[in-house]
Amino acid sequence: MSKAAGRAPASTAAGRAPAGTPAESGRIEADAIARRMLDSLWASVADGDLLRAELETATCMAVPHVAGQHDPEEIEAFVSNALVDKAVARQTPDAAALLRVLMSLGTPNIKQLASRALAELTGGGVYPPEWVTEIGKVTPGQAWRRYDVFGDDEAVAATFSYGETEHAIVVQVDLTGIPIATAVGVASSAPGLVEAMQRIADEDFDRAEQISLAEARRRTEAPLALCDRERDPSLGTDTVAYLPIAKSRVRRLPAADTEPAAEFTAADRAAAVDDFMKSPLAADAVAADEDSTRFWAQVLTGYSSRVPGEPPAQVGPRKLVHILLGHVPNTFDISAAQREHLQAAATAWARWSAAQRELTEAETARLLESLPDAFSRFDAAYDDPDSATIRGYVTDLSASDADVSWLSRSVGRRMFALPVLEFRDGQPAVATPAERRSRVEAEFGGCNPPAGLTSEQLVDAVYGVIEELWHDDANTTFDVARRLFAEGIDRHDIIHRLAGSPAATRSMSVLPAELSARSMSS
C-alpha cells in the first residue's frame, strides 16, 4: 500500500528506488515506453474522444507492468512522474483533461495527486475542456454470459453507449477457486462482441445466454475487485490496462433486481453426501472403505458449493484438479487409508456428480478424463513442503465437512497474523501456541518498546494480538487491521498499534493518534 500523501516532485516521487537497482532499471524502461505512447495519448485527449482518452490513459498507466514492475508504490511513482507531473508542466486545457481522466481511473492515491494537480492548473487559470464532464458517464445497454456446462469458468459481456458511440467490456472469470477475473477486454464494436458470444453456444461444452444488467454486475464486481487486489504478474497487459475501465463500467450497472443467488447450507451439503453414499454409483467404493468414501465425498461436496449459487456437486475438469492438487494438500491431514482410497472414491463421486446434473455421455467423459493425471500427481502435491506449511494454518479447523468459505476466511486472517515464511528451514511452524510465541519473539523481540513497556511486555502484548487474530471468528480485531492496512500501514506496524491498544477500543475505525505514535516504534 502506498503511503504517499501528496504529489512528489519528479526527482523524489514516492517509492523511488536507488539508481542501479532492478526496480530503477524497470522504471527507466517504463519511462522510455511511456514517452513513446504519450503522443497518442495527447492526440486522443485533444480530439475529445471519450473512450479513446480512457483507453490511452489506462494503457499508459499499465506501462510499468510491461517493464516488469509490479510494486504498487513503484507504479504510483511512475504515474505521478510520467503523467501527473507532465500534465502540470504542459499548462494546457488538454493537460487538465488528462488529470480529469486520471481522477476517474486512478488508484485512490493517484486520484488525490491528480485532483491536487488539477487544482494547481485551475488556480492558474487553466481549465479542462467541457467534454471532460462526460468522462465515465456511460449508459448500460445489454449483457450476455458465456459459460461452460461444468461451471469452471464464464465470460460476462456488457454493452454501453458513450456519447455517440457504443462499446462493450468483457470479463473472463475463473470459477475454480474464489471467483476472480483473469482477463478483461474492451471492444469498440458492441454488436460484434454480442454476435461472437451467441456463436459460442454452438460449441461442445460452452453455452451462451442473455442476462440482466444487474446479474452482470453480480457476476463481475467481486471478481474484478479481487483481481485488482491480488495482481497476478502473469496478467496480460491489456487486462491490467482495462481493469480500471471495467470496474468503472460495472459500477454503472444497476444493483440487484432479483433475489440474491441461492446459498447452500451445511444441511444441504450433508444431504448431498448422504445421497451419494446411498447411490449405486458409490456402492463399490462404500463396500471397500465406507469411512474413507464419506471423507472424500464430504471434501468434494463441500468445495463444490463454497460460493453462493453453486449447488453441491457443481464441478468441472479444472475444478476437480484444483480440489485434488490444491485445496486438499493445503487443507487436510490425510490418513494412509484415505490416500489409498482416493481414486475409487473420487471417481465414484465424479460419476455421481455428472448424473446429478444430467451431463451427457460426452460431458461425463470430459469430466472424468482429468482424474488419472490428478491421481498420479497427488502424492507429490500433498508431500510438497509448501503444502505442509499451509496445512499448519488450518490443522485444527479442517474437518472434512467444514465450511470451505469459513476455512478460507480463517486462513486469510491467520496468514495476516503470521505470514508464511519465505525461508522455512530451521523456522518454527504455527500450529501450536508455543510455535506462534516463538515467531512473535523472533519478529518483535528486537523492537523498541513504547514508553512504559519493557521489551518482554511488548512481546506479551503482541502475542495477545496474534492469538486474538488466530482465534477471532467474529473478525473483530481483524476488521480493524484491514481498515488500517487499507490506509497504507504495513502489517508489522498494524500489529504494533493493536498491541498498544486495549481490546475494548479495537472496534474503533481509527485508533487514537497519540496511541498510533506511541505504539509504532520498531
Side-chain angles (χ1 to χ4, degrees), residues 7 35 38-46 82-99 117 120-121 126:
R7 185 171 61 84
R35 283 194 296 272
L38 278 173
D39 287 344
S40 180
L41 170 58
W42 290 120
S44 68
V45 173
L83 298 180
V84 178
D85 287 353
K86 294 294 190 298
V88 172
R90 286 175 75 94
Q91 295 285 316
T92 65
D94 291 344
L98 172 59
L99 293 172
E120 184 178 332
L121 288 187
V126 178

Side-chain angles (χ1 to χ4, degrees), residues 78 184 284 293 346 427-428 507 509:
F78 162 80
V184 175
D284 290 343
T293 300
Q427 297 288 348
S507 61
S509 60

Side-chain angles (χ1 to χ4, degrees), residues 274-482:
D274 286 342
D275 286 346
F276 164 72
M277 295 294 288
K278 297 172 185 176
S279 166
L281 292 170
D284 290 343
V286 171
D289 187 336
E290 181 175 357
D291 289 342
S292 293
T293 300
R294 181 173 290 277
F295 169 84
W296 287 112
Q298 289 173 333
V299 168
L300 291 162
T301 302
Y303 190 90
S304 67
S305 62
R306 74 209 179 286
V307 298
E310 286 192 355
Q314 180 69 47
V315 295
R318 290 194 296 111
K319 192 178 294 181
L320 272 176
V321 171
H322 180 81
I323 294 170
L324 296 178
L325 300 184
H327 173 59
V328 171
N330 290 343
T331 307
F332 300 100
D333 286 327
I334 304 297
S335 69
Q338 290 163 348
R339 189 182 295 211
E340 182 178 351
H341 200 59
L342 165 62
Q343 183 168 339
T347 301
W349 186 90
R351 291 186 181 279
W352 170 82
S353 166
Q356 291 291 109
R357 292 178 285 157
E358 299 181 345
L359 297 185
T360 66
E361 185 176 340
E363 291 163 354
T364 301
R366 177 69 185 90
L367 178 65
L368 295 174
E369 72 180 20
S370 62
L371 287 175
D373 181 59
F375 294 149
S376 70
R377 296 162 56 196
F378 179 81
D379 285 348
Y382 186 81
D383 295 335
D384 186 279
D386 288 337
S387 297
T389 296
I390 296 172
R391 283 199 301 274
Y393 284 85
V394 290
T395 187
D396 58 326
L397 304 177
S398 53
S400 58
D401 60 351
D403 181 273
V404 176
S405 297
W406 171 73
L407 280 176
S408 178
R409 292 192 298 271
S410 299
V411 170
R413 188 182 69 246
R414 289 181 170 190
M415 284 188 172
F416 179 86
L418 293 174
V420 176
L421 291 170
E422 185 175 357
F423 302 102
R424 292 178 307 281
D425 293 345
Q427 297 288 348
V430 294
T432 69
E435 291 165 343
R436 296 194 289 275
R437 173 80 187 201
S438 178
R439 282 281 302 273
V440 167
E441 290 174 347
E443 180 179 357
F444 293 89
C447 293
N448 296 321
L453 292 181
T454 66
S455 294
E456 183 177 5
Q457 288 171 329
L458 172 62
V459 168
D460 287 342
V462 169
Y463 174 68
V465 169
I466 297 301
E467 288 299 285
E468 285 179 26
L469 290 167
W470 197 264
H471 298 289
D472 181 20
D473 284 345
N475 287 329
T476 305
T477 300
F478 189 44
D479 285 344
V480 177
R482 284 188 294 192

Side-chain angles (χ1 to χ4, degrees), residues 1-3 416 481 483-495 497 516 520:
M1 295 285 181
S2 173
K3 299 180 184 179
F416 179 86
R483 286 196 293 271
L484 294 172
F485 191 78
E487 294 172 10
I489 303 169
D490 68 31
R491 171 197 158 274
H492 182 91
D493 288 343
I494 289 170
I495 301 297
R497 285 197 182 196
S516 302
M520 295 172 62

Side-chain angles (χ1 to χ4, degrees), residues 23 38 106 122 125 146 249 254 314 361 385 506:
L38 278 173
T122 57
R146 192 282 307 161
R249 297 299 186 266
Q314 180 69 47
E361 185 176 340
R506 289 180 191 156

